[in-house]
Amino acid sequence: MEHSHQHSHGHDHSHGHGHHHQVDLKSVNRAFVVGIILNLAFVLIEAIVGLAIHSLSLLSDAGHNLADVASLALSLIAFRLMKVRPTEKYTYGYKKTTILVALLNAAVLLLSLGAIGYEAVHRLMQPEPLPGMTISIVAAVGILINALTALLFLRNKENDLNIKSAFLHLLSDAIVSAGLVVGGIIIYYTHLYWIDAALSLVVAIVILFSTWQLLRDSLRLSLDGVPLGIEIKKIKEAIDSISGVKDFHHIHVWALSTTENALTAHLVVPRDANMDFVENLKHKIKHELLHQNIQHATLEIETENSPCDEPDC
């Protein structure tokens, strides 16, 4: 027994599949907590200074950073909920919260963009004098905090939509802060006060692009669409090529969470196939599906030429 276990374990690693899709939950958890604390501290600094000197770019950035702290907190909660065991009422547990949170984050960001845009246009009409150097110093702190926090998510960002959204948020915040630093320096030397408002508009456009993609991806997962990077045609080809598979159809693929995908399908086997043959075949198929980033597969077995009673036949 010991030997066979060793063998199967080694086999898994030699393939290395499943592992590159795995999210390191411990480091992600830490990244979220550190990110929330650092960003919350920065929001306070920005808001206090922004109010004191009447800088719109600082205040709109503080508002936007606060929205980010909220979204980081929501993502963290969603990750915690992923671990909750399924119950009789929630047979999948609460994994889907990760998708809903990503969708909510995108919606919140779009709303905050509208607010920033509106205020900026208003300010362009009536610029107010501002201390440029103060803006620059505060924004420079922002670059540091956002870039540091973004780096915490860098390693896992391709494996999960929520981590990607956190990473994009923080990166866009760092870019925004960099713009504010430059703006502050220009204001300091030229006294062109409208730059403060113009910058917050540029900021809004930068964030709009990353948010749009996030909205699209999370909406697709909310509607049980096929997750990004998975192609039904490729899955069908891979399974059809396994010996013993007569046909593989009625394939449905959807996301259980932002990290796990599920599939249901009908598997047609030869008429004379016995139970051992079918079990062995299912094992091979599930192994192949792991390569295709599908962690949960439910297969309905049919024999050749059997009548089909499914509505989508």
Side-chain angles (χ1 to χ4, degrees):
M1 178 62 212
E2 187 53 43
H3 174 74
S4 71
H5 172 74
Q6 284 297 320
H7 170 73
S8 70
H9 195 69
H11 173 70
D12 205 43
H13 275 274
S14 66
H15 270 59
H17 67 49
H19 294 288
H20 60 288
H21 291 298
Q22 280 310 309
V23 173
D24 180 355
L25 283 175
K26 209 167 173 182
S27 76
V28 169
N29 219 343
R30 195 175 57 234
F32 275 124
V33 173
V34 171
I36 289 168
I37 294 169
L38 282 177
N39 280 281
L40 202 52
F42 180 56
V43 167
L44 285 173
I45 296 170
E46 262 192 325
I48 292 165
V49 177
L51 284 170
I53 66 172
H54 304 293
S55 162
L56 172 71
S57 60
L58 278 187
L59 280 174
S60 64
D61 197 40
H64 167 211
N65 278 320
L66 189 59
D68 280 2
V69 171
S71 72
L72 284 176
L74 280 174
S75 298
L76 176 61
I77 293 166
F79 266 98
R80 289 282 168 85
L81 284 175
M82 257 177 83
K83 291 219 189 66
V84 176
R85 303 202 75 75
T87 63
E88 291 209 342
K89 282 209 168 62
Y90 292 91
T91 54
Y92 279 129
Y94 299 103
K95 291 179 173 160
K96 198 97 175 212
T97 45
T98 51
I99 294 170
L100 297 178
V101 162
L103 184 62
L104 188 65
N105 281 349
V108 167
L109 262 176
L110 285 175
L111 280 175
S112 65
L113 290 184
I116 291 174
Y118 171 80
E119 192 55 38
V121 171
H122 184 71
R123 274 290 176 95
L124 279 171
M125 316 284 180
Q126 306 165 310
E128 290 178 21
L130 299 159
M133 206 36 78
T134 316
I135 294 175
S136 289
I137 292 165
V138 174
V141 175
I143 296 181
L144 202 64
I145 287 180
N146 285 310
L148 270 176
T149 334
L151 281 177
L152 296 175
F153 292 104
L154 182 63
R155 217 176 41 163
N156 290 299
K157 79 174 169 60
E158 286 313 316
N159 304 336
D160 182 287
L161 196 59
N162 253 317
I163 300 175
K164 195 172 187 170
S165 82
F167 179 78
L168 283 175
H169 267 153
L170 294 160
L171 200 62
S172 65
D173 289 357
I175 295 168
V176 169
S177 297
L180 297 186
V181 169
V182 174
I185 293 168
I186 295 173
I187 289 171
Y188 182 74
Y189 286 111
T190 63
H191 299 296
L192 297 172
Y193 298 121
W194 56 266
I195 285 181
D196 189 60
L199 270 173
S200 42
L201 271 181
V202 173
V203 165
I205 293 163
V206 170
I207 306 162
L208 182 64
F209 276 98
S210 60
T211 307
W212 195 250
Q213 281 177 315
L214 179 64
L215 186 67
R216 215 183 46 199
D217 290 348
S218 50
L219 193 58
R220 167 151 89 210
L221 295 187
S222 314
L223 296 173
D224 283 340
V226 177
L228 205 63
I230 293 179
E231 285 176 52
I232 299 272
K233 205 172 85 193
K234 261 166 90 175
I235 291 176
K236 188 168 162 51
E237 280 167 11
I239 304 299
D240 279 339
S241 68
I242 297 174
S243 73
V245 175
K246 290 295 177 190
D247 193 16
F248 195 68
H249 57 167
H250 292 325
I251 304 168
H252 296 277
V253 179
W254 71 99
L256 290 178
S257 72
T258 47
T259 37
E260 289 177 273
N261 303 315
L263 164 147
T264 57
H266 288 210
L267 167 64
V268 181
V269 297
R271 248 204 191 300
D272 54 359
N274 63 9
M275 226 29 216
D276 285 345
F277 175 87
V278 171
E279 284 305 317
N280 195 13
L281 191 57
K282 272 164 66 176
H283 184 74
K284 279 185 196 157
I285 289 172
K286 289 188 176 182
H287 189 90
E288 175 55 44
L289 288 172
L290 269 176
H291 283 283
Q292 307 270 359
N293 195 19
I294 289 169
Q295 292 78 8
H296 302 271
T298 307
L299 305 172
E300 169 148 358
I301 310 295
E302 295 172 2
T303 53
E304 278 180 293
N305 311 328
S306 64
C308 171
D309 50 9
E310 286 283 311
D312 53 348
C313 277

